[in-house]
Amino acid sequence: MTALTRGSVLVIGAGPSGLAAAAALSSLGVEFDLVDTQNHVGGVWNVANEDAPTWPSMKLATSKSHTQFEDLRMPVSFPSFPSTDEYATYLRAYASHHGLTERFEPNKAVRNARSFGEGQWEVEFSSGEVRPYTGIIAAHGVSQRPFLPPLWHEARESGVRTIHSKNFLGGEETTEKNVLVIGGGQEAADVAVELAKANRRVALHPTEAHWVVPRTWGPFAGDSLARLEPTFLGRAFNDTVAEKLIERAIGRPETVGLPKPKVSVMEDEPIVSDSFLKLVDERRIEVLQDGMHLPFTRFDLIVFATGYEPGVDYLDPAYTSDLSLGAFPRSRRDLAVLGQVRVLGGVTPILTQQADIAAYAMKELLDELETGTPSPALARFEKLKSRADADVHRTAPRQSGAGLRGAVSGVASRVRTATHSTRIAEQTPWNEQSSLDSLPEDQPIRLPLTDRERLLARLATARAIFEK
C-alpha cells in the first residue's frame, strides 16, 4: 500500500458541481486535484466529450437564470434556454474565471477509492496510478450509470442496433432512418423531437406519463414564472388554473395519444418542450402505447432513454446509501457526493450550496487533523447530519455576497417555499431492499423527489454553521 499523506482533496468530475467545489476549495486555500474522465471541463454538458448524453442543438430544460452561477452570469446574448453547446462554453469560462483550467487533469478516471480510516483515502486511477488523499468530493452527478430495463435484452435479441440515450449523438448524426425511442421523461421527449426535426421516422414507446409544459409564457421563462404562483389561493385552485393555462397553450398529453398523467401538473415532473406535443399530434412522432407488442424489427435503431441509477461505482455502497441533504454521508466526515437529488427546477443553486458546504467541511477537517484540535463547526455539522432532513431547522438564507464567493446566496434569497412544497416528498434515507422489493423491474431505482426550496433553505442552515 502506498504511504498515505494528509493535506489534499480529490474532486471527481469537472461539471457544474465539480467546478463549484474546486472554486470553493481554492478560495479557502485548500489543496486539491480536479479530475474527469473526459478531456474537457463541462462534464455531461460538453458535447465534445465522447460519451456525453447531450448534443449541440439540445437546449437546457431550465432557464439560464436558474442554471447560472451567481458569481459569473451568462452572457446577455444567450437565449433564455441556452443550448448545451452554449452552456459548455459558459462552464469553460467559469473554470477560467476561477483559475481551474490549468489545474484540471483530463482523461483521468477513478477505478477505485479505498479508505483506511478517517482522512486516509487511497485512490486508484484507470492508468494504474495510485494517490493518497485526505478527502474526496465526488461530483459526477447521476448520469454515470445508465438504467437498462429487461426490455433492453429483448430489443438486443432482435438484431436491431440498440443504444442508451447517453450515447445518442443528435438527429443529424444519426444515420438510421427508422428509430424507436423507449422512455417517458424529458430525455425521451428531447431525443424524439431531435430525430423528428432531422426528418427521421420516429416512434415513441412511453414508459411513463407526464404533463408537457412550454418553455416560455410570453416573454417569461416558465420556471421563473412558476415562482410567481400565489400561495394563498390553495392547491386545488392553482392546479386547476395551471392545467387550464397549459391546455390552452399547447394542449393535454392524452388528447394527442400520449398516456394521461396520473398526478396534477403541480405534483409532476413535467416535460419541458414547445414542440413535443405538436410533433406527436402531427404524427411525426408515432406513439406506441404500453401493452402493445413492440415491432423491433421494423426499426433500424432503438434508443433507450430510460434514465440513470444513482450511486458511485468506485465507492463502497455503505458510504453513499444514507446521505444527509442529498450529499453528505452520515457515516463519514471526509466524503461528499454532490448532486444525488431529484428536484423540480434548476439544480445549480443546490449543487453550488452543496459544493460550498463540502469545501468548508473539508477545510475544517484538514485543520483538525493537522492541529489535533477538534473543530466546533465540524461537530455542529455532524450533529445536523445525524438528524433526518425533515428535522433540520430552516433559517433565512444570507444576503448576496456572503460566504465563499456570493455564488448561491443571491439565488437562495429570492426563492420561496412553493405551493407544491407540501406535496413533494421530503428527502429520506434510501432503503435499498425496500426500494428493490417495491419497484417494477422495468423502472430504475430513483432518488426521491425532493422539494427544491426546502432543500435550499436547509442547505443554507448547514452553510451558516461554517460562516459564524
Side-chain angles (χ1 to χ4, degrees), residues 294-344:
L294 296 180
F296 293 129
T297 55
R298 187 184 118 195
F299 302 97
D300 309 314
L301 173 67
I302 303 171
V303 181
F304 277 78
T306 45
Y308 302 85
E309 301 217 37
V312 183
D313 290 336
Y314 52 81
L315 286 172
D316 185 331
Y319 300 153
T320 59
S321 62
D322 187 10
L323 300 176
S324 172
L325 303 176
F328 308 102
R330 288 181 168 88
S331 62
R332 299 201 68 101
R333 302 193 302 169
D334 55 0
L335 174 66
V337 187
L338 310 185
Q340 300 291 302
V341 293
R342 272 173 67 224
V343 297
L344 301 181

